[in-house]
Amino acid sequence: RITGFAAANIGKDVEIRYIHPLSPMQSGMLYHWLKNRGDNAYFEQVVLKIGGEIDRPGLVKSVNRLVERHDILRTLFSYEGLEEPLQIVLKERKVDLYYEDISHLSGAEARLYLEEFEGKDRERGFDLTVDMLMRLALFKTGPGLYRLVWSFHHIIMDGWCLGIIYRELMQIYGALKAGEPANLESVIPYKN
């Protein structure tokens, strides 16, 4: 049974797939997040330069297929009224892609605009009890030129798995554009 703030905020119509304990590393990150709510020590942000035209609906569909594949990307954390914190893996969760065309800005103006966006995104942080713990923002900076700002909380993903996740995203996106199924290895659930 989920109680407290998480139960009130995720809603009654949300289906839960699994509930399980946190790893020791996650427990430490949750502790620091609770102790220093304004501190985003475990906030991660990667900015990718992308050349070529991007199919935005295809990118959103690809990201959401990735979220379907990996339970940890659908996870939130509950601690209120519990003897020990728990991970709540939702059956479904969707990522939205924020998009903005800033190609009308000069190079210096675009850099400043992106720096301000990245800073505000870091300040926004994540609420581990309710938020989707990963967000993406795509900026068109010129003809066939984009910046993808990929923000996530370290409690769900580290630098080692980011490369795996990104590679899978590109495989899914490429297969979708080609109208073919993505040929990916099966996933071992995080709980295992």
Side-chain angles (χ1 to χ4, degrees):
R1 190 176 124 216
I2 302 171
T3 60
F5 187 70
N9 286 288
I10 63 173
K12 294 178 182 173
D13 58 345
V14 174
E15 288 187 57
I16 295 171
R17 181 167 218 170
Y18 305 113
I19 297 177
H20 52 90
L22 280 63
S23 71
M25 182 74 78
Q26 287 175 318
S27 293
M29 288 181 201
L30 179 65
Y31 169 81
H32 287 286
W33 179 76
L34 289 169
K35 187 175 180 208
N36 306 303
R37 288 282 179 124
D39 180 17
N40 286 317
Y42 293 106
F43 181 91
E44 303 292 333
Q45 191 176 69
V46 177
V47 180
L48 304 166
K49 294 179 183 180
I50 303 171
E53 288 307 316
I54 294 188
D55 170 17
R56 284 185 295 162
L59 181 58
V60 172
K61 195 171 187 179
S62 299
V63 170
N64 283 309
R65 284 199 180 159
L66 194 65
V67 171
E68 289 170 15
R69 279 179 54 76
H70 297 281
D71 291 344
I72 193 69
L73 301 179
R74 297 187 313 276
T75 299
L76 41 92
F77 298 83
S78 186
Y79 62 91
E80 287 186 10
L82 301 173
E83 287 182 29
E84 66 177 82
L86 295 171
Q87 295 186 60
I88 301 168
V89 179
L90 302 179
K91 186 174 179 185
E92 285 185 20
R93 205 122 202 238
K94 299 287 183 199
V95 175
D96 291 322
L97 176 72
Y98 175 81
Y99 173 77
E100 193 169 347
D101 184 343
I102 60 169
S103 59
H104 61 282
L105 300 176
S106 71
E109 291 172 324
R111 278 190 298 280
L112 181 60
Y113 188 87
L114 289 169
E115 285 174 15
E116 287 176 7
F117 176 87
E118 293 162 21
K120 287 177 184 174
D121 191 46
R122 275 191 296 277
E123 285 175 20
R124 178 178 161 197
F126 292 102
D127 182 335
L128 302 181
T129 64
V130 293
D131 288 348
M132 179 71 172
L133 300 179
M134 177 175 77
R135 350 181 232 274
L136 293 112
L138 182 67
F139 294 88
K140 184 173 185 171
T141 57
L145 298 172
Y146 295 86
R147 292 282 190 285
L148 180 67
V149 180
W150 191 337
S151 302
F152 57 93
H153 198 282
H154 189 61
I155 202 165
I156 64 161
M157 188 164 52
D158 62 14
W160 289 101
C161 69
L162 181 61
I164 295 166
I165 294 291
Y166 179 72
R167 185 174 54 249
E168 282 189 16
L169 175 62
M170 292 298 97
Q171 288 175 294
I172 295 167
Y173 179 75
L176 229 128
K177 281 187 75 171
E180 301 170 357
N183 191 11
L184 299 170
E185 295 179 20
S186 60
V187 175
I188 298 170
Y190 181 82
K191 70 181 180 119
N192 292 359

